[in-house]
Amino acid sequence: MMPAPAIATGYGGRLTVDLGAIIRNWQALDKVSAGALTGAAVKADGYGVGIVAASKALFAAGARFFFVATPDEGLAVRAALPEAYIFVLNGLHPGSAALYVAERLMPVLNSLPMLEEWMVACLGRNEALPAALHFDTGMNRLGFRLNETSVVKRMCDEVGYAPQMIMSHLACADQPQHEKNRTQLALFSSVISQFPGIPASLANSAATMTSRDMHFQMVRPGIALYGGRAVNGRRNPMVPAVRLEVPILQVREGKTGESVGYGATYTLARDSRIAVIGIGYADGFLRSLSGSNQHQGGKAYVRGRIVPVIGRVSMDMCELDITDLGNDIPLPGEMVEVLGEHVSVDDQADAGNTIGYEMLTSLKGRYSRTYVDSGAGS
Ligand SMILES: *Cc1c(COP(=O)(O)O)cnc(C)c1O
């Protein structure tokens, strides 16, 4: 799954993924949702940390139900974990039923044509092949419309098919007070009442953490496993799982009135010391982390201090204002933290006007990846 970067020198950036943190986060959510099974969303290359490594660690911790977006991701998990139960959220790609059956992937059936195709596959094999039924209760993304419920039920009943799970997805779970959560819960409850005895699943990370009445039989956390903030406006209790350090390429002096970077969007208001670091938008350090005189950008942690990005983030590098470090001058080659203990994924995301999900899933390519285990879970 991972692109194969040509990194052997050790002179580039360094991404460290703490599998122990991911395990502890899963265990914490499993405890919170004690009455339900705790699945794990590992789509988008395990939210950027590596789908195979994350899935194996989670399986070892006790997770058995994995949610991927695409069949390719399903194959990656299947190859690593022969005993995992794998749901493919994007559904059944037309014509792909045989592949799903062969690899024991469970499609999340999102539309009547998908359901039709899966029923044909079941009849052809004379087997109730497991799948989930996804009802849209307020996203207008994937899922059966609610007025299709009776048709869905009839199609299942006609052939005596019992789905593995009934699910829906929340639009506003990160805002627990949002009234849409109650509306969706009520609509979902009315759908599942028509499928008695079938396990139900509604909760993502946020709903797992905030709403016991949304746990049903399975919760499906993603972002919280990787240490990201799931619920807005609260302290994030999860353990950070990612540290990204990149090298200083050069330290230079700039004079008052000079500009920094493309577009000359940042003008030095004082004689300044600048560190050029080896990460840019091509590495997932989003261009929205640029800092101008009007708008503060991203940050980094250098020699015990948080320092700002100044000027535009370019493809392969960006600049930091390290004037405030005084005579504590870092050296070329020294590593600085751009994500980790001191600059959380969400702090950096906020600075770049985005969300932790996008920061994490933008991690890619040009750094070495090391997996560590910070210690056994409880
Ligand atoms: C991604 C996803 C999840 C996990 O959501 P988080 O907010 O990352 O916890 C759960 N369910 C569905 C349908 C998803 O697409």
Side-chain angles (χ1 to χ4, degrees), residues 329-342:
I329 305 174
L331 302 169
E334 195 169 315
M335 300 299 264
V336 308
E337 176 191 310
V338 295
L339 289 179
E341 203 186 328
H342 304 94

Side-chain angles (χ1 to χ4, degrees), residues 336-352:
V336 308
E337 176 191 310
V338 295
L339 289 179
E341 203 186 328
H342 304 94
V343 184
S344 76
V345 167
D346 291 292
D347 280 354
Q348 199 68 283
D350 288 345

Side-chain angles (χ1 to χ4, degrees), residues 116-303:
E116 175 83 44
E117 185 167 347
W118 198 246
M119 292 300 96
V120 168
C122 288
L123 290 172
R125 289 174 174 75
N126 197 23
E127 196 184 333
L129 303 164
L133 303 182
H134 181 189
F135 290 87
D136 175 32
T137 55
M139 286 272 288
N140 263 316
R141 202 173 65 171
L142 295 175
F144 302 108
R145 288 194 64 83
L146 292 177
N147 64 12
E148 295 173 325
T149 308
S150 57
V151 180
V152 170
K153 188 164 166 51
R154 196 179 331 124
M155 284 172 69
C156 291
D157 288 350
E158 266 170 14
V159 293
Y161 181 78
Q164 194 73 16
M165 190 164 85
I166 307 286
M167 59 176 271
S168 189
H169 192 48
L170 295 163
C172 304
D174 57 339
Q175 306 163 66
Q177 302 313 322
H178 200 293
E179 68 174 57
K180 193 158 184 91
N181 293 308
R182 296 297 119 195
T183 314
Q184 288 196 262
L185 176 61
L187 293 172
F188 186 60
S189 299
S190 103
V191 170
I192 61 178
S193 70
Q194 299 179 59
F195 294 86
I198 306 300
S201 176
L202 180 62
N204 57 3
S205 299
T208 303
M209 294 162 79
T210 61
S211 311
R212 194 170 297 266
D213 57 348
M214 291 186 175
H215 290 175
F216 295 98
Q217 282 70 46
M218 193 187 303
V219 297
R220 321 185 292 267
I223 190 73
L225 300 175
Y226 311 99
R229 177 178 69 211
V231 186
N232 291 337
R234 294 195 190 181
R235 194 189 69 85
N236 177 4
M238 310 319 286
V239 185
V242 167
R243 184 166 76 244
L244 179 56
E245 299 156 295
V246 299
I248 291 178
L249 305 177
Q250 189 180 91
V251 173
R252 54 190 302 123
E253 313 294 327
K255 291 275 174 226
T256 307
E258 292 177 355
S259 71
V260 178
Y262 283 124
T265 59
Y266 190 93
T267 302
L268 298 174
R270 57 178 177 176
D271 289 349
S272 304
R273 186 164 291 132
I274 299 166
V276 183
I277 59 172
I279 189 169
Y281 59 76
D283 305 294
F285 202 73
L286 309 171
R287 199 161 169 276
S288 61
L289 292 164
S290 301
S292 70
N293 292 97
Q294 287 74 40
H295 179 79
Q296 216 167 10
K299 41 198 156 181
Y301 182 75
V302 186
R303 296 227 172 174

Side-chain angles (χ1 to χ4, degrees), residues 33-90:
S33 64
L37 291 166
T38 305
V42 295
K43 59 198 184 188
D45 199 22
Y47 287 55
V49 309
I51 190 169
V52 167
S55 299
K56 283 170 120 169
L58 288 161
F59 189 92
R64 291 295 176 269
F65 295 86
F66 294 84
F67 292 84
V68 299
T70 67
D72 292 271
E73 291 177 337
L75 296 192
V77 177
R78 171 57 69 227
L81 296 172
E83 292 167 38
Y85 297 95
I86 303 168
F87 287 105
V88 181
L89 290 165
N90 286 8

